[in-house]
Amino acid sequence: MKKTVSAIALLSALNATTSHAESEAQIENCRSISQVAEVIMTARQQDMPLPEVMRLVVDVEAETETDENVKNVVKELVKTAYKAPIGPTEESQKQYIAEFRNQIFLNCYE
């Protein structure tokens, strides 16, 4: 449940940073996106059911004034994360989470 609260806070932060164009703002925006990606992949690695994650995303969107682009990005993150396998060990799960977070940051920043 802590992760759900974190996801809500991160979505709000992500929504607030999408209107900036400067390089520093882009880094902050990509950092926010990568943090949301980390929360989503953590849910995946904890085997949280996909319908439950999507319901949480929809609930958060309904509770905040989330930009349409942000909504689309988050939904794509969920779909991408849920195509990944669940690591067989806690260490491999942590590795999947870190790699996903870093790859999303890189994709955002490029």
Side-chain angles (χ1 to χ4, degrees):
M1 203 46 119
K2 281 185 180 179
K3 293 290 182 186
T4 303
V5 173
S6 295
I8 292 170
L10 288 171
L11 269 177
S12 297
L14 178 61
N15 192 44
T17 61
T18 56
S19 63
H20 299 294
E22 306 94 39
S23 181
E24 188 173 311
Q26 182 184 5
I27 290 170
E28 182 59 27
N29 185 41
C30 293
R31 186 188 65 75
S32 294
I33 291 170
S34 69
Q35 287 178 325
V36 171
E38 180 177 7
V39 169
I40 292 168
M41 183 55 90
T42 299
R44 170 65 178 139
Q45 293 303 311
Q46 293 174 349
D47 204 18
M48 182 180 278
L50 178 57
E52 187 176 333
V53 173
M54 290 306 293
R55 184 183 47 79
L56 290 171
V57 168
V58 169
D59 289 349
V60 168
E61 290 172 353
E63 293 173 10
T64 62
E65 294 181 24
T66 305
D67 180 87
E68 198 62 38
N69 291 329
V70 173
K71 290 178 184 180
N72 293 334
V73 167
V74 172
K75 287 176 184 171
E76 285 303 313
L77 289 173
V78 171
K79 290 193 287 187
T80 302
Y82 274 77
K83 289 177 183 174
I86 296 174
T89 66
E90 187 175 332
E91 193 59 39
S92 64
Q93 291 171 0
K94 288 179 183 178
Q95 185 68 31
Y96 286 163
I97 293 165
E99 287 176 5
F100 187 68
R101 179 194 62 233
N102 291 336
Q103 187 61 52
I104 295 302
F105 183 91
L106 183 62
N107 290 349
C108 172
Y109 194 69
E110 290 182 328

